[in-house]
Amino acid sequence: MRRVDRTLVSTPAVLVGDKSRGGKELAKAKLFFEAQDAAAAAAGGPAAAPKTRNKKGKSFDFSAYSDEAVKYALDKLFFGKCAYCESRYANQAPVDVEHYRPKGRIAGVADHPGYWWLAMIWDNLLPSCIDCNRRRWQDLPQFPESLAQLLAAPEMQGVKASLGKQDLFPIAGAARATAAVPGIDEQPDLINPCVDDPEEHLVFHIDRGDPLGLVLPAFEDDVPSRRGLTSIHVYGLNRLGLVQERTRILRKLDFLSRLIDEIGKISETLLASRDQKNKTMGGRLDLLLNQILDEIRAMAEPDQPYSSLVKAWSKTLKTN
């Protein structure tokens, strides 16, 4: 996960203004949920309707948030990557337009109808792969395991966990915003890459001798980040497929690093020679070395998958 500046892409017109598709849908949603509240109050129930359904069992149909213009804007903002795991979602399935604050309901909170008034709000929308967004059973790495076993997916079957955000939205404390009181200062336990700096809560396990693509909570005063721990679990950031792919990238980076070291040594020897041919060859090797470094820099660019991992690895390269 990496920090993303949402202001780099304008709010899609479909969500702007009362007369837009999103504005009209919000007005209808307001009437729908006000009717729910009124019915609940008349029956002596809670002010907030517990479900996003009317008496006939019909749910409110949110749709403006998934307009193609919204998908295009999110794709542009996040370079076609999942906001949470940095995978290219186009490689596996269409993007899920994800509500950071769930629009319909909140898992484990029976008396809250969800943040329906934010369903069409640009700042609440993020692009997600289906594995980060939908609650699914996922394979997990077994520990301790060798690298060979980790990369052999068929051998890792059997260890599973239900992961994925869906309608989960844990907060610290009990102060949760409602449509009636939307200004409450909530303290989300999940990282929002457009609001938070993920590097304050998440770190990668970087071991140059035995690469393993795990993401871990950041520590401060020997205490792990609560938001880091929760985000890793809810988004499923250490599901087997992700760990495998990040491990492959770390292995590639370590190979390129060893290549840089070897080419550097050979080039230094050749450039120190009195033979002009050797000096010429040494210069050409220097050019090759710079091309390899450019390749590593390119892998850390925001438009590349798992760029935050490459960025973290590159910091260790500078210090070693």
Side-chain angles (χ1 to χ4, degrees):
M1 196 184 306
R2 68 178 300 144
R3 181 80 166 89
V4 173
D5 182 0
R6 187 179 284 274
T7 64
L8 295 176
V9 174
S10 300
T11 304
V14 70
L15 302 178
V16 178
D18 294 340
K19 295 184 179 181
S20 68
R21 181 182 169 191
K24 293 176 181 178
E25 189 171 300
L26 178 59
K28 292 179 181 179
K30 187 172 185 292
L31 293 174
F32 179 91
F33 286 100
E34 284 179 348
Q36 289 262 319
D37 287 345
K51 296 181 180 180
T52 60
R53 298 179 181 273
N54 59 22
K55 292 181 179 179
K56 296 181 180 180
K58 183 180 179 181
S59 62
F60 187 83
D61 184 20
F62 296 100
S63 62
Y65 74 91
S66 61
D67 188 272
E68 288 301 317
V70 176
K71 293 179 181 178
Y72 175 81
L74 289 173
D75 189 80
K76 183 177 180 181
L77 183 61
F78 282 85
F79 301 101
K81 300 189 300 182
C82 174
Y84 302 128
C85 72
E86 281 200 273
S87 298
R88 289 199 189 280
Y89 45 77
N91 292 344
Q92 54 176 328
V95 63
D96 276 354
V97 179
E98 210 281 293
H99 290 81
Y100 174 67
R101 284 177 167 82
K103 66 183 184 301
R105 64 177 183 175
I106 304 169
V109 186
D111 61 348
H112 197 291
Y115 302 84
W116 59 264
W117 66 97
L118 299 178
M120 285 71 70
I121 301 301
W122 172 240
D123 287 352
N124 193 45
L125 303 179
L126 295 167
S128 177
C129 68
I130 62 174
D131 285 330
C132 283
N133 185 40
R134 305 182 195 182
R135 204 74 182 163
R136 290 150 57 90
W137 286 98
Q138 300 283 357
D139 292 305
L140 292 174
Q142 296 181 29
F143 300 102
E145 295 288 347
S146 69
L147 181 61
Q149 288 174 309
L150 175 66
L151 296 178
E155 297 179 16
M156 301 298 293
Q157 302 300 315
V159 180
K160 292 181 178 290
S162 180
L163 305 170
K165 180 174 177 286
Q166 198 161 310
D167 51 11
L168 290 168
F169 194 70
I171 61 173
R176 192 180 288 277
T178 65
V181 191
I184 288 179
D185 186 19
E186 286 185 326
Q187 300 179 52
D189 274 339
L190 294 176
I191 300 168
N192 182 341
C194 287
V195 176
D196 310 303
D197 183 357
E199 291 187 13
E200 294 181 359
H201 305 282
L202 301 172
V203 296
F204 290 100
H205 173 73
I206 307 294
D207 184 340
R208 303 295 292 278
D210 187 16
L212 184 61
L214 292 173
V215 61
L216 307 170
F219 276 73
E220 184 174 353
D221 298 328
D222 295 326
V223 177
S225 165
R226 170 175 170 148
R227 300 185 70 190
L229 281 169
T230 307
S231 297
I232 290 169
H233 176 71
V234 171
Y235 298 140
L237 297 182
N238 279 330
R239 56 186 183 266
L240 179 61
L242 278 178
V243 174
Q244 289 176 322
E245 193 58 32
R246 290 194 296 249
T247 300
R248 291 187 183 100
I249 289 176
L250 288 173
R251 294 180 72 188
K252 176 180 179 179
L253 289 168
D254 283 351
F255 168 74
L256 292 176
S257 176
R258 292 193 301 272
L259 201 59
I260 288 170
D261 290 341
E262 290 303 315
I263 290 175
K265 293 175 183 177
I266 297 171
S267 175
E268 184 178 347
T269 300
L270 291 173
L271 289 172
S273 171
R274 295 181 179 181
D275 189 296
Q276 186 58 43
K277 290 184 178 180
N278 287 344
K279 287 181 178 292
T280 301
M281 183 59 69
R284 293 178 64 181
L285 287 177
D286 271 352
L287 290 175
L288 177 59
L289 189 149
N290 287 329
Q291 289 177 340
I292 296 173
L293 289 171
D294 286 342
E295 174 65 17
I296 293 174
R297 295 187 191 101
M299 292 172 66
E301 289 296 313
D303 63 334
Q304 295 300 303
Y306 316 111
S307 57
S308 55
L309 170 66
V310 181
K311 180 181 176 183
W313 179 90
S314 296
K315 290 180 180 178
T316 69
L317 180 66
K318 295 175 183 178
T319 57
N320 288 343

